[in-house]
Amino acid sequence: MKTGLAALLALALSLTGPLQAQEPAGAAIFKACQSCHSLDPGKAGMAGPHLAGLKGRVLGSAEGFDYSPAFRAAKAQGFAWDRERLLGYLADPDAIVPGGWMSPPAGLRAADRAAVVDYLFTQ
């Protein structure tokens, strides 16, 4: 019986190929954000600022992006992106930066927002 099971497992692996690392959930969810944001600080002309090095970065401080007056005010106050602030922003942008000009993708659950924050904070 054990030999038959081992043979069946070997056959299944040969048909499916090697096991590959699965994409983090946050990376998959972030794909919806890529129409406006990039993880490449050198990519210009997007609707939103680049999000590379976001953890701890002062709001409204990405070079080369024309921020709303609300983000310029947040920058002047020295507010920085931390986990709680970004989670709140993704849930309700106007509650964190009123007039900040962003609409998050519809239908993000709390777990989705947490996965995106975890992903962004590793980039």
Side-chain angles (χ1 to χ4, degrees):
M1 181 71 167
K2 287 183 182 179
T3 7
L5 184 57
L8 184 59
L9 181 59
L11 175 63
L13 287 175
S14 71
L15 294 175
T16 61
L19 298 176
Q20 296 179 2
Q22 198 171 25
E23 181 178 54
I29 297 165
F30 180 70
K31 287 179 181 175
C33 308
Q34 289 178 316
S35 60
C36 296
H37 297 280
S38 174
L39 292 174
D40 178 358
K43 190 167 183 179
M46 303 213 57
H50 75 80
L51 301 180
L54 189 61
K55 183 178 183 180
R57 186 169 83 197
V58 173
L59 278 69
S61 66
E63 289 294 321
F65 187 77
D66 185 23
Y67 285 96
S68 68
F71 265 97
R72 289 193 291 265
K75 177 182 179 182
Q77 293 178 39
F79 294 135
W81 289 115
D82 60 22
R83 182 174 177 75
E84 293 310 311
R85 181 167 281 129
L86 186 52
L87 284 170
Y89 189 73
L90 291 174
D92 182 4
D94 279 333
I96 304 300
V97 183
W101 300 344
M102 189 186 107
S103 299
L108 286 181
R109 299 170 299 148
D112 297 333
R113 292 190 296 272
V116 168
V117 170
D118 291 342
Y119 175 70
L120 289 174
F121 280 7
T122 63
Q123 301 305 303

